[in-house]
Amino acid sequence: MWAGRVVHDAIEMALHIFSAGRDVPTEPFIDDVVQRMRGEWRSSRDGRYRDSPKTLALFEHEYPIELKPEVWQMLRAGVVNCLRHFFRLPLLAEIRKTAPEHWSIEHWSKVLDFEGTPMWIAPDFGFWTSEGRLALIDWKTGAADPDSAAFQLGCYALYAKDMLGVDPDRVDLFEVNLREPLVTAHKWDAARLADIREQLRLSIRGMKAYLADPDRNVAVIDAFERSEELRICRWCNFRAVCRPQL
């Protein structure tokens, strides 16, 4: 997750530079990203997040878990690989041909009221094409998951329809796997959007079923079954809350 966030933040920074009409020297830019990664890693290792909660806190430093240096080196290499692929994307060249005032880097809106339930939806990037179509992009840095990606992009189509008033047939959704790199276009229509709405209803219903008081969004931890596979707990973010003895 940390590497993915680093890549997303770097891309956002690069797009801001492009929007100001300036070029980005690829290798010096990537070197700067790596240096900031190293600074964040040292900050987490030294436990600075305990006094400054908004700074980086890595799971491996909190618990602690020893990882070989090769693991961190692979993480850095993955970030570098994704960013190099980003700068070489034909899609980026297409974006840069459009006027920056037609770009959305920080998102038009993040909260969608879906039938009384607030949903936080934030496409990574959006722009209006020269053909007058709305393109919404999701940058991917991890392993491909077609079902998850299709659902997420469907939520972007819902966002476009309900928040921006753009019909699905005027929206182009791009899943950009920066590890490969591979750009997959997803086209949507009203029927597929109806399926997304139903999936969301089922998901919301399932989550609320675990709440002691759904109207007040109150949960009781004893209502949730704990895994008996303690190997899973070793890498769980909630291990200190759920199984503090570990």
Side-chain angles (χ1 to χ4, degrees):
M1 292 181 64
W2 175 42
R5 194 266 298 161
V6 169
V7 172
H8 280 70
D9 287 351
I11 288 175
E12 183 173 313
M13 185 186 307
L15 289 168
H16 274 295
I17 297 172
F18 288 139
S19 71
R22 304 195 305 273
D23 284 328
V24 178
T26 301
E27 292 305 320
F29 179 86
I30 293 175
D31 288 343
D32 182 67
V33 171
V34 170
Q35 289 304 317
R36 284 187 284 112
M37 276 187 76
R38 289 173 175 154
E40 287 187 332
W41 186 90
R42 289 192 293 268
S43 174
S44 175
R45 179 201 60 190
D46 297 340
R48 293 177 185 169
Y49 58 87
R50 295 185 177 93
D51 297 321
S52 302
K54 291 187 177 181
T55 58
L56 179 73
L58 291 172
F59 182 95
E60 294 81 0
H61 293 148
E62 170 65 12
Y63 277 107
I65 296 174
E66 290 293 332
L67 294 181
K68 294 181 179 179
E70 291 81 2
V71 175
W72 298 110
Q73 292 166 7
M74 287 177 59
L75 202 67
R76 174 192 57 78
V79 168
V80 170
N81 182 60
C82 286
L83 289 176
R84 283 179 178 156
H85 284 160
F86 165 75
F87 284 109
R88 296 169 185 162
L89 284 174
L91 178 61
L92 176 60
E94 182 180 343
I95 291 170
R96 296 192 64 189
K97 291 177 183 177
T98 64
E101 56 264 29
H102 295 158
W103 299 3
S104 171
I105 301 175
E106 279 94 16
H107 327 300
W108 286 287
S109 176
K110 291 185 179 180
V111 182
L112 167 66
D113 185 295
F114 180 75
E115 300 177 355
T117 298
M119 288 176 45
W120 278 258
I121 301 179
D124 290 331
F125 181 72
F127 71 104
W128 288 96
T129 71
S130 56
E131 293 80 21
R133 299 180 60 80
L134 175 62
L136 297 176
I137 297 173
D138 188 60
W139 312 114
K140 297 291 187 186
T141 60
D145 185 343
D147 292 338
S148 175
F151 177 72
Q152 183 177 2
L153 290 165
C155 289
Y156 290 174
L158 178 68
Y159 162 91
K161 172 65 175 174
D162 290 4
M163 294 298 296
L164 305 178
V166 183
D167 290 330
D169 58 3
R170 292 183 57 217
V171 177
D172 295 322
L173 304 170
F174 294 101
E175 173 193 354
V176 183
N177 185 329
L178 293 169
R179 288 175 55 172
E180 302 300 336
L182 179 65
V183 178
T184 304
H186 296 252
K187 291 191 178 295
W188 286 81
D189 54 31
R192 296 186 70 189
L193 196 58
D195 291 338
I196 291 295
R197 292 184 191 275
E198 187 57 27
Q199 283 183 262
L200 287 171
R201 291 186 189 104
L202 291 172
S203 177
I204 292 169
R205 194 179 308 149
M207 288 187 285
K208 286 187 174 182
Y210 283 96
L211 298 177
D213 187 340
D215 293 334
R216 294 172 55 214
N217 197 32
V218 174
V220 177
I221 192 170
D222 291 336
F224 294 83
E225 182 179 357
R226 291 176 173 83
S227 173
E228 297 302 323
E229 292 289 336
L230 298 186
R231 294 175 301 168
I232 298 174
C233 300
R234 184 172 183 262
W235 292 100
C236 177
N237 288 328
F238 302 100
R239 126 185 181 187
V241 177
C242 182
R243 294 189 186 274
Q245 70 274 20
L246 296 180

